[in-house]
Amino acid sequence: MGYKPLCFGLTCILFAYYIYTPMPENIEEPWKATILEKTGIKRFDELFSIIIKLDYTQPISDENVTVMDTTFSDIPVRLYLPKRKRESQRPAVIFIHGGAFVLGSYKQTPLDLLNRWTANKLDAVVVGVDPSLAPQYPFPVPYEDVVSVVKFFLQDKILAKYGVDPNRICISGDSSGGTLAAGVTQLIQNDPELKHKLKAQALIYPGLQVVDLSLPSHRENEHGPLLSWKLAIKLACLYLTQDKVLPQAMMKNQHMPHGSMQLFKLVNWSTFLPEEYKKSHVYTEPILGRLNPSYSILLDSRLSPLAVNDSQLQNLPLTYILTCQHDILRDDGLMYVSRLQNVGVKVSHDHMEDGIHGALSFMASPIYLKLGIRIKDKYINWLEENL
């Protein structure tokens, strides 16, 4: 084991809290998930950011792929350019990392490996994007960063520079990266002034709405594993504001302002969830107008790609969505599958019955989850077949 992975692992252990949290019975390698649970729950932003930075990689090329760090519209990106000779133009994948808008980077070892594998397996140009992070850069800055990168990349001269086929471009993201990917896809596909569109979007356990915070998956996975309901709300609020009143209202599902009633039907889990996920849960509408002052920002569809009208979904491209059973964000993805299918969008859906949130970020030492490798394989195989 190298010096950096060793330091990363030891740091995780030193900051671990010895509090037992029961793991669902069907989770693979539960002791590893328990380590992640203990490491991530208590001090969630600055501490975990320091730990993650210990795992940052340099842009090192290998025998198959040239890797370089650069900027697109002043936003940091890492490019993965296949070395093999090719007569025709290549497909491309734009990947946005997760981290609840406050953590993470394409520099992390697992994500560097993921993008490297994608480039090599698909013979594709891969663009890893590092949007600005909250709370220093709150909403909508990270979203606008991704928009800037995508529009820059879709220019004819840039596509030609990297030998990219303009008809074979996918945008992907995990967790909050999936949120950004979904929102940006809606913008790109519905903008009549853009010459080039996206062929596909791939969303891995994405968060897709902040309208209703009492879904069955929120209730069933309130305490995690890894990402608890309260932690997710605290992180989401750092993306929006540092006002401590908002997270308290969100935890009571009383955060939506007057004028948002029309959004409830667009995220109504009793309508859009498959029957097997409803179980014995009873639907209750969020309570309006209890937060003073109200946050009109919560009405912004860029925060909630699920909470848009059908007309904004009809033009969306071929879509891949992966959901995890033991994940508070599970039902966001499941409802998006239903809504997209209802308007005629072609959707492929993989559901990991033993899945937990964030597994894709644990595909390298010191914490290596076989689940992360299986998710990676499903994602890359779908891209290979559809892009």
Side-chain angles (χ1 to χ4, degrees):
M1 180 183 292
Y3 172 76
K4 285 179 65 178
L6 179 60
C7 288
F8 178 58
L10 290 175
T11 304
C12 287
I13 294 170
L14 287 172
F15 281 111
Y17 286 79
Y18 294 96
I19 301 173
Y20 175 68
T21 302
M23 292 288 117
E25 292 182 358
N26 67 335
I27 284 185
E28 188 177 44
E29 304 169 297
W31 67 274
K32 292 183 182 178
T34 300
I35 291 176
L36 298 175
E37 175 81 8
K38 292 174 181 177
T39 303
I41 287 297
K42 294 298 179 182
R43 303 174 184 175
F44 53 84
D45 52 354
E46 294 181 6
L47 167 63
F48 213 52
S49 179
I50 293 171
I51 294 174
I52 287 174
K53 286 180 180 178
L54 292 173
D55 193 41
Y56 278 7
T57 61
Q58 295 300 314
I60 300 174
S61 302
D62 59 33
E63 66 274 16
N64 299 312
V65 180
T66 297
V67 183
M68 65 179 71
D69 286 348
T70 184
T71 60
F72 284 178
S73 292
D74 297 323
I75 310 303
V77 299
R78 177 167 289 182
L79 298 178
Y80 300 80
L81 308 174
K83 289 183 176 180
R84 73 190 75 160
K85 293 182 179 180
R86 179 169 173 152
E87 297 295 329
S88 60
Q89 294 174 309
R90 288 183 164 89
V93 177
I94 303 168
F95 186 86
I96 308 146
H97 67 81
F101 309 105
V102 302
L103 302 167
S105 170
Y106 58 61
K107 297 176 183 177
Q108 292 171 248
T109 296
L111 300 184
D112 178 68
L113 290 173
L114 174 68
N115 290 331
R116 195 179 295 266
W117 285 327
T118 303
N120 189 39
K121 184 76 180 292
L122 274 66
D123 193 22
V125 172
V126 176
V127 182
V129 185
D130 260 8
S132 303
L133 297 177
Q136 184 176 0
Y137 298 100
F139 176 83
V141 176
Y143 171 90
E144 292 173 342
D145 285 353
V146 177
V147 171
S148 295
V149 167
V150 174
K151 287 185 174 181
F152 180 91
F153 188 66
L154 291 179
Q155 296 177 92
D156 283 327
K157 63 180 181 180
I158 301 301
L159 296 175
K161 178 179 179 179
Y162 296 110
V164 171
D165 184 341
N167 298 309
R168 299 180 65 195
I169 300 171
C170 176
I171 188 170
S172 306
D174 71 306
S175 189
S176 59
T179 313
L180 293 171
V184 171
T185 299
Q186 291 178 5
L187 174 72
I188 297 297
Q189 301 306 100
N190 290 305
D191 186 342
E193 296 185 1
L194 286 179
K195 176 182 177 181
H196 299 304
K197 303 295 184 180
L198 299 166
K199 180 180 180 181
Q201 62 174 338
L203 314 176
I204 301 171
Y205 39 75
L208 296 170
Q209 60 88 31
V210 293
V211 176
D212 187 350
L213 299 181
S214 185
L215 308 182
S217 59
H218 297 151
R219 304 171 194 176
E220 293 171 14
N221 302 292
E222 179 182 0
H223 302 293
L226 189 59
L227 182 65
S228 71
W229 181 67
K230 287 185 177 180
L231 175 60
I233 288 175
K234 290 177 181 178
L235 290 170
C237 287
L238 287 176
Y239 184 42
L240 301 174
T241 178
Q242 297 196 46
D243 186 342
K244 295 182 180 180
V245 176
L246 181 58
Q248 296 172 1
M250 282 184 161
M251 288 177 191
K252 298 176 182 178
N253 212 22
Q254 299 177 358
H255 57 289
M256 294 303 294
H258 289 296
S260 57
M261 178 73 74
Q262 75 280 3
L263 300 181
F264 295 167
K265 66 178 182 180
L266 302 173
V267 301
N268 187 328
W269 64 261
S270 67
T271 301
F272 297 115
L273 267 190
E275 288 299 324
E276 62 265 34
Y277 298 100
K278 295 179 183 178
K279 299 182 180 178
S280 59
H281 297 287
V282 177
Y283 176 74
T284 305
E285 274 194 350
I287 298 174
L288 287 176
R290 292 290 182 87
L291 190 59
N292 190 22
S294 64
Y295 287 82
S296 59
I297 192 174
L298 296 172
L299 298 171
D300 196 316
S301 63
R302 294 174 296 179
L303 282 175
S304 300
L306 178 63
V308 299
N309 293 321
D310 287 351
S311 60
Q312 293 174 266
L313 301 178
Q314 291 169 347
N315 296 323
L316 295 188
L318 183 67
T319 297
Y320 174 75
I321 296 176
L322 184 140
T323 54
C324 291
Q325 179 65 21
H326 308 293
D327 179 7
I328 58 169
L329 302 182
R330 178 195 71 201
D331 293 348
D332 285 15
L334 292 173
M335 287 194 287
Y336 208 43
V337 170
S338 296
R339 291 209 57 208
L340 292 181
Q341 289 175 335
N342 288 347
V343 297
V345 174
K346 185 177 180 181
V347 182
S348 298
H349 175 223
D350 280 326
H351 183 70
M352 311 300 287
E353 287 292 344
D354 62 342
I356 63 172
H357 191 82
L360 198 61
S361 294
F362 301 98
M363 297 189 295
S365 61
I367 302 177
Y368 173 101
L369 293 180
K370 293 177 182 178
L371 170 66
I373 298 297
R374 287 192 286 119
I375 290 174
K376 178 265 293 183
D377 289 341
K378 286 181 178 293
Y379 162 66
I380 293 180
N381 288 342
W382 182 85
L383 287 175
E384 190 173 28
E385 294 173 4
N386 293 278
L387 190 58

